[in-house]
Amino acid sequence: MQNQNTRPVFPFTAIVGQEEMKLALILNVIDPRIGGVMIMGDRGTGKSTTIRAIADLLPEIEVVKDDLFNSHPVESELMSDEVKKKLQDNINLEKTFIKVPMIDLPLGATEDRVCGTIDIEKALTEGVKSFEPGLLAKANRGILYVDEVNLLDDHLVDILLDSAASGWNTVEREGISIRHPARFVLVGSGNPEEGELRPQLLDRFGMHAEIRTVKEPELRVKIVEQRTNFDLNPSKCIEEYEEQQQELKAKIREAQNRLSSIKIDYDNRVKISQVCSELDVDGLRGDIVTNRAAKALAAFEGKNSVTVEHIKKIATLCLRHRLRKDPLESIDSGDKVSKVFNQIFST
């Protein structure tokens, strides 16, 4: 149930349509190493509502109390150097549970605001490293959401993608260096009318979901009704979907636990690479992400190994944004992925 002091969040299971976006978000939550989601679509299609809803749905995480980086009490890859030192010195750490952090990155954010700042004066006069954490620190083990990512300065997008890929953020100033864990699911959204993201940045997002305004009148009416009911009485709407929310929450938790044991046979791995090769995808990121996403989907569906159906369901999401754009090509990139997939997997 929701805390009375927090702003009510629209239930994830109440969201109608936009299956592509919902699936991409769920798979990234199961395995953050997929590398985030870029959501491109029309204005007013519920992008930010859906992202807030998935963050609200996630199980609470255990952290070291009062730690600036949401450090994990036992996993060294997810803890700050300060916490590691305390553990080495056998200092007892107080623990607590918090909601998964959901951090919004505003468009006008500066590099200092994103990465954090080192207090040089304090370092020089008192000889202590004093660090003011930025948004990357707050987002550790959570979700970092950038709306209108295609309008963000390329330099900042680079920093975000580097941190998301490595899981660490390093701040250097005047010869003083501080690093901290910054492992988060990066979710970017944008409207294609406001310009595309540069291909080399787009390729760094694990998945790419396209969303369109719902055309069917009946479905539109249902969406409007649900939103109106929620705005009039949020607690009633949240209560109505509580059971479905708890079921999905349990399913995600089970999938996270099962993930490491999921197998994908050699033949299917070869075929995934054949698809990437045939589509002329640069580098190996496409192959890696497709394998990871297929495993996450198998885990979500409660299976022990990846089937062709799993791969088929996520192939377009993982590959469509990695294709070279041909201005003369009339076929949609998603259709192109499906066509090549069907050719290779039917042999």
Side-chain angles (χ1 to χ4, degrees), residues 154-172:
D154 279 353
H155 172 59
L156 275 183
V157 179
D158 252 339
I159 289 170
L160 294 177
L161 289 162
D162 280 344
S163 295
S166 67
W168 291 89
N169 172 44
T170 305
V171 182
E172 288 183 3

PDB file of all heavy atoms in Angstrom, residues 154-172:
ATOM      1  N   ASP A 154      24.668  16.498 -25.781  1.00  0.00           N
ATOM      2  CA  ASP A 154      25.308  15.204 -26.105  1.00  0.00           C
ATOM      3  C   ASP A 154      26.340  14.783 -25.058  1.00  0.00           C
ATOM      4  O   ASP A 154      26.480  13.601 -24.747  1.00  0.00           O
ATOM      5  CB  ASP A 154      26.004  15.289 -27.477  1.00  0.00           C
ATOM      6  CG  ASP A 154      25.002  15.091 -28.611  1.00  0.00           C
ATOM      7  OD1 ASP A 154      23.841  14.758 -28.322  1.00  0.00           O
ATOM      8  OD2 ASP A 154      25.377  15.292 -29.784  1.00  0.00           O
ATOM      9  N   HIS A 155      27.058  15.761 -24.531  1.00  0.00           N
ATOM     10  CA  HIS A 155      28.097  15.481 -23.537  1.00  0.00           C
ATOM     11  C   HIS A 155      27.483  14.832 -22.289  1.00  0.00           C
ATOM     12  O   HIS A 155      28.021  13.865 -21.743  1.00  0.00           O
ATOM     13  CB  HIS A 155      28.803  16.798 -23.175  1.00  0.00           C
ATOM     14  CG  HIS A 155      29.755  16.673 -22.030  1.00  0.00           C
ATOM     15  ND1 HIS A 155      30.831  15.813 -22.048  1.00  0.00           N
ATOM     16  CD2 HIS A 155      29.776  17.286 -20.811  1.00  0.00           C
ATOM     17  CE1 HIS A 155      31.476  15.901 -20.891  1.00  0.00           C
ATOM     18  NE2 HIS A 155      30.854  16.782 -20.130  1.00  0.00           N
ATOM     19  N   LEU A 156      26.324  15.350 -21.871  1.00  0.00           N
ATOM     20  CA  LEU A 156      25.652  14.784 -20.693  1.00  0.00           C
ATOM     21  C   LEU A 156      25.092  13.398 -20.982  1.00  0.00           C
ATOM     22  O   LEU A 156      25.153  12.508 -20.131  1.00  0.00           O
ATOM     23  CB  LEU A 156      24.513  15.704 -20.239  1.00  0.00           C
ATOM     24  CG  LEU A 156      24.877  16.865 -19.322  1.00  0.00           C
ATOM     25  CD1 LEU A 156      23.635  17.627 -18.919  1.00  0.00           C
ATOM     26  CD2 LEU A 156      25.608  16.395 -18.075  1.00  0.00           C
ATOM     27  N   VAL A 157      24.556  13.218 -22.189  1.00  0.00           N
ATOM     28  CA  VAL A 157      24.042  11.893 -22.571  1.00  0.00           C
ATOM     29  C   VAL A 157      25.182  10.871 -22.520  1.00  0.00           C
ATOM     30  O   VAL A 157      25.017   9.756 -22.030  1.00  0.00           O
ATOM     31  CB  VAL A 157      23.393  11.914 -23.982  1.00  0.00           C
ATOM     32  CG1 VAL A 157      22.886  10.526 -24.361  1.00  0.00           C
ATOM     33  CG2 VAL A 157      22.239  12.903 -24.037  1.00  0.00           C
ATOM     34  N   ASP A 158      26.356  11.275 -22.992  1.00  0.00           N
ATOM     35  CA  ASP A 158      27.544  10.422 -22.956  1.00  0.00           C
ATOM     36  C   ASP A 158      27.885   9.985 -21.530  1.00  0.00           C
ATOM     37  O   ASP A 158      28.161   8.813 -21.269  1.00  0.00           O
ATOM     38  CB  ASP A 158      28.755  11.191 -23.528  1.00  0.00           C
ATOM     39  CG  ASP A 158      29.149  10.648 -24.884  1.00  0.00           C
ATOM     40  OD1 ASP A 158      28.786   9.498 -25.183  1.00  0.00           O
ATOM     41  OD2 ASP A 158      29.802  11.369 -25.655  1.00  0.00           O
ATOM     42  N   ILE A 159      27.866  10.964 -20.604  1.00  0.00           N
ATOM     43  CA  ILE A 159      28.174  10.682 -19.194  1.00  0.00           C
ATOM     44  C   ILE A 159      27.171   9.673 -18.629  1.00  0.00           C
ATOM     45  O   ILE A 159      27.544   8.709 -17.965  1.00  0.00           O
ATOM     46  CB  ILE A 159      28.147  11.990 -18.354  1.00  0.00           C
ATOM     47  CG1 ILE A 159      29.358  12.867 -18.698  1.00  0.00           C
ATOM     48  CG2 ILE A 159      28.138  11.691 -16.861  1.00  0.00           C
ATOM     49  CD1 ILE A 159      29.307  14.267 -18.111  1.00  0.00           C
ATOM     50  N   LEU A 160      25.894   9.898 -18.916  1.00  0.00           N
ATOM     51  CA  LEU A 160      24.845   9.002 -18.415  1.00  0.00           C
ATOM     52  C   LEU A 160      25.040   7.586 -18.936  1.00  0.00           C
ATOM     53  O   LEU A 160      24.950   6.611 -18.188  1.00  0.00           O
ATOM     54  CB  LEU A 160      23.457   9.497 -18.857  1.00  0.00           C
ATOM     55  CG  LEU A 160      22.969  10.827 -18.298  1.00  0.00           C
ATOM     56  CD1 LEU A 160      21.618  11.171 -18.895  1.00  0.00           C
ATOM     57  CD2 LEU A 160      22.858  10.768 -16.787  1.00  0.00           C
ATOM     58  N   LEU A 161      25.307   7.485 -20.238  1.00  0.00           N
ATOM     59  CA  LEU A 161      25.457   6.163 -20.851  1.00  0.00           C
ATOM     60  C   LEU A 161      26.706   5.455 -20.344  1.00  0.00           C
ATOM     61  O   LEU A 161      26.693   4.242 -20.125  1.00  0.00           O
ATOM     62  CB  LEU A 161      25.492   6.299 -22.376  1.00  0.00           C
ATOM     63  CG  LEU A 161      24.138   6.682 -22.997  1.00  0.00           C
ATOM     64  CD1 LEU A 161      24.308   7.230 -24.395  1.00  0.00           C
ATOM     65  CD2 LEU A 161      23.197   5.494 -23.024  1.00  0.00           C
ATOM     66  N   ASP A 162      27.797   6.211 -20.129  1.00  0.00           N
ATOM     67  CA  ASP A 162      29.023   5.611 -19.587  1.00  0.00           C
ATOM     68  C   ASP A 162      28.781   5.046 -18.194  1.00  0.00           C
ATOM     69  O   ASP A 162      29.209   3.939 -17.875  1.00  0.00           O
ATOM     70  CB  ASP A 162      30.154   6.659 -19.523  1.00  0.00           C
ATOM     71  CG  ASP A 162      30.808   6.871 -20.882  1.00  0.00           C
ATOM     72  OD1 ASP A 162      30.599   6.015 -21.767  1.00  0.00           O
ATOM     73  OD2 ASP A 162      31.493   7.893 -21.080  1.00  0.00           O
ATOM     74  N   SER A 163      28.106   5.839 -17.349  1.00  0.00           N
ATOM     75  CA  SER A 163      27.823   5.380 -15.979  1.00  0.00           C
ATOM     76  C   SER A 163      26.889   4.180 -15.988  1.00  0.00           C
ATOM     77  O   SER A 163      27.092   3.224 -15.249  1.00  0.00           O
ATOM     78  CB  SER A 163      27.185   6.500 -15.150  1.00  0.00           C
ATOM     79  OG  SER A 163      28.090   7.549 -14.993  1.00  0.00           O
ATOM     80  N   ALA A 164      25.866   4.243 -16.844  1.00  0.00           N
ATOM     81  CA  ALA A 164      24.909   3.133 -16.913  1.00  0.00           C
ATOM     82  C   ALA A 164      25.611   1.848 -17.343  1.00  0.00           C
ATOM     83  O   ALA A 164      25.302   0.764 -16.855  1.00  0.00           O
ATOM     84  CB  ALA A 164      23.782   3.470 -17.875  1.00  0.00           C
ATOM     85  N   ALA A 165      26.578   1.980 -18.261  1.00  0.00           N
ATOM     86  CA  ALA A 165      27.276   0.786 -18.776  1.00  0.00           C
ATOM     87  C   ALA A 165      28.282   0.241 -17.771  1.00  0.00           C
ATOM     88  O   ALA A 165      28.389  -0.971 -17.581  1.00  0.00           O
ATOM     89  CB  ALA A 165      27.979   1.132 -20.088  1.00  0.00           C
ATOM     90  N   SER A 166      29.039   1.140 -17.112  1.00  0.00           N
ATOM     91  CA  SER A 166      30.103   0.665 -16.216  1.00  0.00           C
ATOM     92  C   SER A 166      29.611   0.421 -14.797  1.00  0.00           C
ATOM     93  O   SER A 166      30.202  -0.341 -14.036  1.00  0.00           O
ATOM     94  CB  SER A 166      31.244   1.692 -16.169  1.00  0.00           C
ATOM     95  OG  SER A 166      30.801   2.885 -15.534  1.00  0.00           O
ATOM     96  N   GLY A 167      28.515   1.109 -14.414  1.00  0.00           N
ATOM     97  CA  GLY A 167      28.015   0.972 -13.047  1.00  0.00           C
ATOM     98  C   GLY A 167      28.750   1.844 -12.048  1.00  0.00           C
ATOM     99  O   GLY A 167      28.535   1.747 -10.834  1.00  0.00           O
ATOM    100  N   TRP A 168      29.653   2.716 -12.558  1.00  0.00           N
ATOM    101  CA  TRP A 168      30.430   3.599 -11.671  1.00  0.00           C
ATOM    102  C   TRP A 168      30.450   5.021 -12.217  1.00  0.00           C
ATOM    103  O   TRP A 168      30.386   5.234 -13.423  1.00  0.00           O
ATOM    104  CB  TRP A 168      31.871   3.099 -11.530  1.00  0.00           C
ATOM    105  CG  TRP A 168      31.951   1.831 -10.760  1.00  0.00           C
ATOM    106  CD1 TRP A 168      31.877   0.576 -11.264  1.00  0.00           C
ATOM    107  CD2 TRP A 168      32.059   1.688  -9.342  1.00  0.00           C
ATOM    108  NE1 TRP A 168      31.931  -0.345 -10.259  1.00  0.00           N
ATOM    109  CE2 TRP A 168      32.054   0.311  -9.058  1.00  0.00           C
ATOM    110  CE3 TRP A 168      32.177   2.601  -8.282  1.00  0.00           C
ATOM    111  CZ2 TRP A 168      32.146  -0.190  -7.763  1.00  0.00           C
ATOM    112  CZ3 TRP A 168      32.272   2.104  -6.985  1.00  0.00           C
ATOM    113  CH2 TRP A 168      32.256   0.718  -6.730  1.00  0.00           C
ATOM    114  N   ASN A 169      30.557   5.983 -11.310  1.00  0.00           N
ATOM    115  CA  ASN A 169      30.725   7.385 -11.704  1.00  0.00           C
ATOM    116  C   ASN A 169      31.991   7.897 -11.039  1.00  0.00           C
ATOM    117  O   ASN A 169      32.205   7.696  -9.845  1.00  0.00           O
ATOM    118  CB  ASN A 169      29.510   8.200 -11.233  1.00  0.00           C
ATOM    119  CG  ASN A 169      29.723   9.692 -11.434  1.00  0.00           C
ATOM    120  OD1 ASN A 169      30.203  10.121 -12.474  1.00  0.00           O
ATOM    121  ND2 ASN A 169      29.380  10.492 -10.437  1.00  0.00           N
ATOM    122  N   THR A 170      32.861   8.520 -11.828  1.00  0.00           N
ATOM    123  CA  THR A 170      34.106   9.079 -11.281  1.00  0.00           C
ATOM    124  C   THR A 170      34.107  10.584 -11.471  1.00  0.00           C
ATOM    125  O   THR A 170      33.850  11.083 -12.567  1.00  0.00           O
ATOM    126  CB  THR A 170      35.336   8.461 -11.993  1.00  0.00           C
ATOM    127  OG1 THR A 170      35.240   7.032 -11.890  1.00  0.00           O
ATOM    128  CG2 THR A 170      36.633   8.920 -11.362  1.00  0.00           C
ATOM    129  N   VAL A 171      34.393  11.307 -10.383  1.00  0.00           N
ATOM    130  CA  VAL A 171      34.473  12.770 -10.443  1.00  0.00           C
ATOM    131  C   VAL A 171      35.901  13.167 -10.123  1.00  0.00           C
ATOM    132  O   VAL A 171      36.454  12.749  -9.098  1.00  0.00           O
ATOM    133  CB  VAL A 171      33.504  13.419  -9.419  1.00  0.00           C
ATOM    134  CG1 VAL A 171      33.550  14.941  -9.529  1.00  0.00           C
ATOM    135  CG2 VAL A 171      32.083  12.926  -9.641  1.00  0.00           C
ATOM    136  N   GLU A 172      36.515  13.933 -11.012  1.00  0.00           N
ATOM    137  CA  GLU A 172      37.909  14.370 -10.805  1.00  0.00           C
ATOM    138  C   GLU A 172      37.993  15.880 -10.870  1.00  0.00           C
ATOM    139  O   GLU A 172      37.399  16.501 -11.747  1.00  0.00           O
ATOM    140  CB  GLU A 172      38.819  13.760 -11.871  1.00  0.00           C
ATOM    141  CG  GLU A 172      39.045  12.281 -11.662  1.00  0.00           C
ATOM    142  CD  GLU A 172      40.000  11.667 -12.673  1.00  0.00           C
ATOM    143  OE1 GLU A 172      40.522  12.433 -13.497  1.00  0.00           O
ATOM    144  OE2 GLU A 172      40.192  10.447 -12.640  1.00  0.00           O
TER     145      GLU A 172
END
